[in-house]
Short mmCIF file of all heavy atoms in Angstrom, two decimals:
data_model
loop_
_atom_site.label_atom_id
_atom_site.label_comp_id
_atom_site.label_asym_id
_atom_site.label_seq_id
_atom_site.Cartn_x
_atom_site.Cartn_y
_atom_site.Cartn_z
N LEU A 43 43.41 65.54 -9.85
CA LEU A 43 43.58 64.17 -10.34
C LEU A 43 43.71 64.21 -11.85
O LEU A 43 43.09 65.05 -12.51
CB LEU A 43 42.37 63.31 -9.99
CG LEU A 43 41.95 63.22 -8.53
CD1 LEU A 43 40.61 62.51 -8.42
CD2 LEU A 43 43.00 62.49 -7.73
N VAL A 44 44.49 63.30 -12.40
CA VAL A 44 44.53 63.08 -13.84
C VAL A 44 43.85 61.74 -14.07
O VAL A 44 44.30 60.71 -13.56
CB VAL A 44 45.98 63.06 -14.39
CG1 VAL A 44 45.96 62.83 -15.89
CG2 VAL A 44 46.70 64.35 -14.05
N LYS A 45 42.75 61.75 -14.82
CA LYS A 45 41.95 60.53 -15.01
C LYS A 45 41.38 60.48 -16.42
O LYS A 45 41.21 61.51 -17.08
CB LYS A 45 40.78 60.47 -14.02
CG LYS A 45 41.19 60.44 -12.57
CD LYS A 45 41.87 59.15 -12.23
CE LYS A 45 42.34 59.12 -10.78
NZ LYS A 45 43.18 58.00 -10.48
N ARG A 46 41.03 59.28 -16.84
CA ARG A 46 40.33 59.08 -18.10
C ARG A 46 38.83 59.24 -17.83
O ARG A 46 38.30 58.61 -16.91
CB ARG A 46 40.63 57.69 -18.66
CG ARG A 46 40.12 57.47 -20.05
CD ARG A 46 40.67 56.19 -20.63
NE ARG A 46 42.13 56.18 -20.70
CZ ARG A 46 42.85 56.79 -21.64
NH1 ARG A 46 42.24 57.46 -22.59
NH2 ARG A 46 44.17 56.71 -21.62
N VAL A 47 38.18 60.08 -18.62
CA VAL A 47 36.76 60.36 -18.43
C VAL A 47 36.00 59.92 -19.67
O VAL A 47 36.42 60.20 -20.80
CB VAL A 47 36.52 61.86 -18.17
CG1 VAL A 47 35.04 62.18 -18.07
CG2 VAL A 47 37.24 62.31 -16.90
N ALA A 48 34.89 59.21 -19.45
CA ALA A 48 34.00 58.81 -20.55
C ALA A 48 32.58 59.22 -20.17
O ALA A 48 32.19 59.11 -19.00
CB ALA A 48 34.07 57.31 -20.78
N ILE A 49 31.82 59.68 -21.14
CA ILE A 49 30.45 60.09 -20.92
C ILE A 49 29.53 58.95 -21.35
O ILE A 49 29.61 58.48 -22.48
CB ILE A 49 30.10 61.37 -21.70
CG1 ILE A 49 31.01 62.51 -21.23
CG2 ILE A 49 28.66 61.76 -21.51
CD1 ILE A 49 32.12 62.78 -22.13
N GLY A 50 28.67 58.52 -20.43
CA GLY A 50 27.73 57.45 -20.72
C GLY A 50 26.49 57.96 -21.40
O GLY A 50 26.26 59.17 -21.50
N PRO A 51 25.63 57.07 -21.87
CA PRO A 51 24.40 57.46 -22.55
C PRO A 51 23.48 58.31 -21.67
O PRO A 51 22.73 59.14 -22.17
CB PRO A 51 23.73 56.13 -22.90
CG PRO A 51 24.76 55.08 -22.72
CD PRO A 51 25.82 55.64 -21.83
N SER A 52 23.57 58.11 -20.36
CA SER A 52 22.70 58.87 -19.45
C SER A 52 23.25 60.27 -19.17
O SER A 52 22.61 61.07 -18.51
CB SER A 52 22.59 58.13 -18.11
OG SER A 52 23.86 58.11 -17.45
N GLY A 53 24.46 60.56 -19.68
CA GLY A 53 25.10 61.84 -19.40
C GLY A 53 25.98 61.80 -18.17
O GLY A 53 26.69 62.76 -17.89
N LYS A 54 25.95 60.70 -17.45
CA LYS A 54 26.82 60.56 -16.28
C LYS A 54 28.21 60.14 -16.73
O LYS A 54 28.39 59.60 -17.82
CB LYS A 54 26.24 59.56 -15.29
CG LYS A 54 24.98 60.09 -14.63
CD LYS A 54 24.52 59.19 -13.53
CE LYS A 54 23.30 59.79 -12.85
NZ LYS A 54 22.78 58.88 -11.84
N LEU A 55 29.19 60.39 -15.88
CA LEU A 55 30.58 60.15 -16.22
C LEU A 55 31.10 58.86 -15.62
O LEU A 55 30.71 58.48 -14.52
CB LEU A 55 31.45 61.30 -15.70
CG LEU A 55 31.05 62.71 -16.10
CD1 LEU A 55 31.99 63.71 -15.45
CD2 LEU A 55 31.04 62.86 -17.61
N SER A 56 32.02 58.24 -16.33
CA SER A 56 32.86 57.18 -15.79
C SER A 56 34.24 57.79 -15.66
O SER A 56 34.77 58.35 -16.62
CB SER A 56 32.93 55.98 -16.73
OG SER A 56 31.70 55.35 -16.82
N ILE A 57 34.81 57.72 -14.47
CA ILE A 57 36.13 58.27 -14.20
C ILE A 57 37.03 57.09 -13.87
O ILE A 57 36.79 56.37 -12.91
CB ILE A 57 36.08 59.30 -13.06
CG1 ILE A 57 35.13 60.43 -13.44
CG2 ILE A 57 37.47 59.82 -12.75
CD1 ILE A 57 34.86 61.42 -12.34
N ARG A 58 38.08 56.92 -14.70
CA ARG A 58 38.88 55.72 -14.60
C ARG A 58 40.36 56.02 -14.53
O ARG A 58 40.84 56.99 -15.12
CB ARG A 58 38.63 54.83 -15.81
CG ARG A 58 37.20 54.38 -15.91
CD ARG A 58 37.01 53.34 -16.97
NE ARG A 58 35.66 52.82 -16.87
CZ ARG A 58 34.83 52.75 -17.87
NH1 ARG A 58 35.21 53.13 -19.06
NH2 ARG A 58 33.62 52.27 -17.69
N SER A 59 41.07 55.14 -13.84
CA SER A 59 42.52 55.12 -13.85
C SER A 59 42.94 54.08 -14.89
O SER A 59 42.26 53.08 -15.07
CB SER A 59 43.06 54.69 -12.48
OG SER A 59 42.65 55.60 -11.48
N ASP A 60 44.05 54.32 -15.59
CA ASP A 60 44.53 53.32 -16.54
C ASP A 60 45.22 52.16 -15.83
O ASP A 60 45.33 51.08 -16.38
CB ASP A 60 45.48 53.97 -17.55
CG ASP A 60 44.73 54.81 -18.57
OD1 ASP A 60 43.48 54.82 -18.55
OD2 ASP A 60 45.38 55.45 -19.40
N ASN A 61 45.67 52.38 -14.61
CA ASN A 61 46.29 51.34 -13.80
C ASN A 61 45.17 50.55 -13.11
O ASN A 61 44.41 51.11 -12.32
CB ASN A 61 47.23 51.98 -12.76
CG ASN A 61 47.98 50.98 -11.94
OD1 ASN A 61 47.57 49.83 -11.80
ND2 ASN A 61 49.08 51.41 -11.36
N PRO A 62 45.04 49.26 -13.41
CA PRO A 62 43.93 48.47 -12.85
C PRO A 62 43.98 48.29 -11.33
O PRO A 62 43.02 47.81 -10.74
CB PRO A 62 44.05 47.12 -13.56
CG PRO A 62 45.46 47.05 -14.04
CD PRO A 62 45.90 48.46 -14.28
N GLN A 63 45.05 48.70 -10.69
CA GLN A 63 45.13 48.59 -9.24
C GLN A 63 44.33 49.68 -8.52
O GLN A 63 44.21 49.65 -7.31
CB GLN A 63 46.59 48.65 -8.78
CG GLN A 63 47.41 47.48 -9.27
CD GLN A 63 48.86 47.57 -8.83
OE1 GLN A 63 49.29 48.54 -8.22
NE2 GLN A 63 49.61 46.54 -9.13
N TYR A 64 43.81 50.63 -9.28
CA TYR A 64 43.05 51.74 -8.69
C TYR A 64 41.57 51.60 -9.05
O TYR A 64 41.23 51.13 -10.13
CB TYR A 64 43.59 53.08 -9.20
CG TYR A 64 44.94 53.42 -8.62
CD1 TYR A 64 46.10 52.90 -9.17
CD2 TYR A 64 45.05 54.22 -7.49
CE1 TYR A 64 47.35 53.18 -8.63
CE2 TYR A 64 46.28 54.53 -6.95
CZ TYR A 64 47.43 54.01 -7.52
OH TYR A 64 48.64 54.29 -6.97
N PRO A 65 40.69 52.06 -8.15
CA PRO A 65 39.25 51.92 -8.41
C PRO A 65 38.77 52.91 -9.47
O PRO A 65 39.37 53.95 -9.70
CB PRO A 65 38.62 52.24 -7.05
CG PRO A 65 39.60 53.15 -6.39
CD PRO A 65 40.96 52.68 -6.86
N ASP A 66 37.68 52.54 -10.11
CA ASP A 66 36.97 53.42 -11.05
C ASP A 66 35.74 53.97 -10.36
O ASP A 66 35.23 53.39 -9.41
CB ASP A 66 36.53 52.62 -12.29
CG ASP A 66 37.69 52.07 -13.09
OD1 ASP A 66 38.79 52.65 -13.04
OD2 ASP A 66 37.49 51.05 -13.78
N TRP A 67 35.29 55.12 -10.84
CA TRP A 67 34.04 55.69 -10.37
C TRP A 67 33.07 55.69 -11.53
O TRP A 67 33.35 56.26 -12.58
CB TRP A 67 34.24 57.11 -9.86
CG TRP A 67 35.15 57.21 -8.68
CD1 TRP A 67 34.92 56.75 -7.42
CD2 TRP A 67 36.45 57.80 -8.65
NE1 TRP A 67 35.99 57.03 -6.61
CE2 TRP A 67 36.95 57.67 -7.34
CE3 TRP A 67 37.25 58.44 -9.60
CZ2 TRP A 67 38.19 58.16 -6.96
CZ3 TRP A 67 38.50 58.91 -9.22
CH2 TRP A 67 38.95 58.76 -7.91
N GLU A 68 31.96 55.04 -11.36
CA GLU A 68 30.94 54.95 -12.41
C GLU A 68 29.73 55.80 -12.03
O GLU A 68 29.44 56.01 -10.86
CB GLU A 68 30.50 53.49 -12.59
CG GLU A 68 31.63 52.53 -12.96
CD GLU A 68 32.20 52.76 -14.34
OE1 GLU A 68 31.52 53.32 -15.21
OE2 GLU A 68 33.36 52.37 -14.55
N ASP A 69 29.01 56.25 -13.04
CA ASP A 69 27.76 56.99 -12.87
C ASP A 69 27.94 58.22 -11.97
O ASP A 69 27.16 58.46 -11.05
CB ASP A 69 26.66 56.09 -12.31
CG ASP A 69 26.29 54.99 -13.28
OD1 ASP A 69 26.33 55.23 -14.51
OD2 ASP A 69 25.98 53.87 -12.84
N VAL A 70 28.96 59.01 -12.25
CA VAL A 70 29.23 60.24 -11.51
C VAL A 70 28.51 61.39 -12.22
O VAL A 70 28.62 61.55 -13.44
CB VAL A 70 30.75 60.52 -11.47
CG1 VAL A 70 31.05 61.84 -10.77
CG2 VAL A 70 31.48 59.37 -10.79
N ARG A 71 27.78 62.17 -11.45
CA ARG A 71 27.10 63.34 -12.03
C ARG A 71 28.15 64.37 -12.45
O ARG A 71 29.05 64.69 -11.69
CB ARG A 71 26.15 63.96 -11.01
CG ARG A 71 24.95 63.11 -10.72
CD ARG A 71 23.92 63.83 -9.84
NE ARG A 71 24.32 65.18 -9.50
CZ ARG A 71 24.44 65.64 -8.25
NH1 ARG A 71 24.18 64.88 -7.23
NH2 ARG A 71 24.82 66.88 -8.03
N ALA A 72 28.03 64.87 -13.66
CA ALA A 72 29.00 65.83 -14.20
C ALA A 72 29.10 67.07 -13.32
O ALA A 72 30.17 67.66 -13.19
CB ALA A 72 28.63 66.20 -15.63
#
Side-chain angles (χ1 to χ4, degrees):
L43 305 171
V44 180
K45 299 292 178 190
R46 189 169 301 280
V47 176
I49 299 101
S52 66
K54 291 188 177 176
L55 306 178
S56 293
I57 301 173
R58 298 189 172 128
S59 299
D60 286 355
N61 183 338
Q63 296 179 356
Y64 289 83
D66 297 333
W67 297 292
E68 302 292 336
D69 295 325
V70 177
R71 290 188 1 237

